[in-house]
Amino acid sequence: MDTREFGSTGWDVTEIGLGTWNVGPSWDEVTDEQAKEAIATALDDGVNFVDTAEVYGDGRAERLIHEVLDERDPDRTIYVPTKAAPDEDGGHSEEGLRSSVDGSLDRLGVDSLDLVQLHCPETEAFYDPENFRVLEDLKEEGLIDHGGVSVEKVEEADKAIEYDVVESVQIIFNPLRQRPAERFFERAANADVGIIVRVPLASGLLADAFEGPEDFGEHDHRRTAAEDGVEAGVGRKGGETFAGVPFEDGLAAVDDLRPFVPDEATMAQFTLRWILDHDAVSTVIPGSTTPDHVAENDDAADLDPLSHQTHGAVRDIYEQHVADYVHHRW
């Protein structure tokens, strides 16, 4: 799999990585063995970037990644960025951030974390230099190698890259959430900041994987959002479930996208290829606990870039079906 430079870190990361949010309680039940098999499949495909967070299964994802890597070639470089959860007030106290780092160090079984990202704190936290000073201190102390952020809004991303310690931004970007490409990607590239694209498949909408709420398990956050409205989903005001797009409008957009998917590709692969056609993107991290889906996602990196006409059509569909819901909000 091809690699791309990851901002100023000096890393070369695979275009397709793996996200591990799916092992958390907001999704259908998954066993440890299923999750570990999915991680192993990605690594076998050449993936060298496995993103996680302390809140994914209350540390479960970090522990399972450690168990898989412990059985692998120690000389092969696998980057494992993690995310530190904000405090109850939506900010990052020094005590809370240090506690998060200590827990992740223990669960991942390492002496220093590859990359610690502030995990979607409230917008106000990005205007408080103290949060980023603590990241600087942790880096100087050798507890983390690099610092970054995961954001809900483009505004937060724009503010975050003003801090020198921020070497990466994790952000939602896909055919149903296109605003980051409008100006932010250029700013990030100019600042030599790596871009991690999360929620690339809009919680499965852009995998063309379902038709109605009945396709989701009883405890799946997507069922709640599909039945009760987008704000009932996960993330600030439901901004993560279905990438913040109302379920029926998302389905309508997928219907219109379907004719543009190449014969040799699935909708999920088409979506990942569309994302990778944006040069500012360093890596995209679809999540799955199904090995076949992981392998399918990884193969998207081998597809040819999409045509300008196709990109234009995707933009038209976005503006017709979903831009009014998400563009200025996120």
Side-chain angles (χ1 to χ4, degrees), residues 84 92-101 118 131 134-135 138:
H92 280 280
S93 66
E94 179 165 1
E95 179 183 5
L97 190 50
R98 287 187 177 275
S99 176
S100 294
V101 167
L118 304 185
N131 295 314
V134 177
L135 278 181
L138 291 165

Side-chain angles (χ1 to χ4, degrees), residues 21 26-27 203 219-226 232-234 240-241:
W21 181 19
S26 298
W27 303 80
S203 308
H219 302 294
D220 192 316
H221 66 102
R222 296 173 296 181
R223 184 175 192 132
T224 303
V234 171
E240 298 191 13
T241 306

Side-chain angles (χ1 to χ4, degrees), residues 54-317:
E54 65 169 324
V55 299
Y56 293 170
D58 194 22
R60 181 185 181 207
E62 291 178 326
R63 175 176 58 80
L64 295 177
I65 291 168
H66 178 201
E67 291 177 10
V68 172
L69 292 180
D70 209 33
E71 299 172 356
R72 295 272 163 162
D73 180 0
D75 294 327
R76 181 185 171 195
T77 299
I78 305 294
Y79 301 109
V80 184
T82 191
K83 297 185 282 295
D87 301 333
E88 290 185 3
D89 65 359
H92 280 280
S93 66
E94 179 165 1
E95 179 183 5
L97 190 50
R98 287 187 177 275
S99 176
S100 294
V101 167
D102 287 344
S104 293
L105 286 168
D106 181 62
R107 289 184 292 270
L108 288 168
V110 294
D111 296 323
S112 179
L113 299 171
D114 293 335
L115 168 66
V116 168
Q117 305 155 89
L118 304 185
H119 197 173
C120 297
E122 292 290 336
T123 302
E124 291 77 10
F126 293 89
Y127 291 85
D128 184 358
E130 181 68 10
N131 295 314
F132 299 91
R133 178 196 63 78
V134 177
L135 278 181
E136 290 274 13
D137 290 347
L138 291 165
K139 186 175 178 181
E140 290 176 5
E141 293 165 22
L143 296 176
I144 70 175
D145 295 339
H146 302 282
V149 295
S150 182
V151 304
E152 297 277 12
K153 299 181 178 182
V154 170
E155 174 194 352
E156 297 162 354
D158 277 331
K159 187 62 183 177
I161 64 175
E162 294 180 8
Y163 299 98
D164 291 342
V165 72
V166 173
E167 295 183 80
S168 70
V169 170
Q170 186 169 150
I171 194 167
I172 297 174
F173 178 63
N174 59 50
L176 305 183
R177 280 279 287 271
Q178 297 191 28
R179 186 178 175 186
E182 197 169 68
R183 295 185 183 90
F184 172 67
F185 280 176
E186 182 179 0
R187 292 170 182 156
N190 290 338
D192 202 12
V193 169
I195 298 294
I196 306 166
V197 170
R198 66 188 184 98
V199 198
L201 301 179
S203 308
L205 262 179
L206 288 167
D208 205 2
F210 36 71
E211 298 178 355
E214 66 278 2
D215 293 331
F216 307 114
E218 182 181 355
H219 302 294
D220 192 316
H221 66 102
R222 296 173 296 181
R223 184 175 192 132
T224 303
E227 292 178 337
D228 300 336
V230 65
E231 292 202 5
V234 171
R236 210 178 305 159
K237 297 183 179 179
E240 298 191 13
T241 306
F242 306 133
V245 174
F247 184 60
E248 294 297 332
D249 295 275
L251 290 178
V254 169
D255 282 343
D256 285 357
L257 287 170
R258 202 173 289 122
F260 298 96
V261 178
D263 292 339
E264 70 276 15
T266 65
M267 177 70 77
Q269 290 173 328
F270 166 81
T271 298
L272 296 172
R273 181 65 259 173
W274 180 90
I275 293 168
L276 290 173
D277 283 350
H278 296 79
D279 292 340
V281 172
S282 306
T283 186
V284 54
I285 51 169
S288 178
T289 53
T290 304
D292 287 348
H293 290 166
V294 172
E296 175 188 316
N297 292 339
D298 295 341
D299 287 343
D302 296 330
L303 294 176
D304 291 332
L306 303 174
S307 68
H308 291 298
Q309 290 84 353
T310 296
H311 277 275
V314 173
R315 180 68 186 189
D316 290 342
I317 292 166

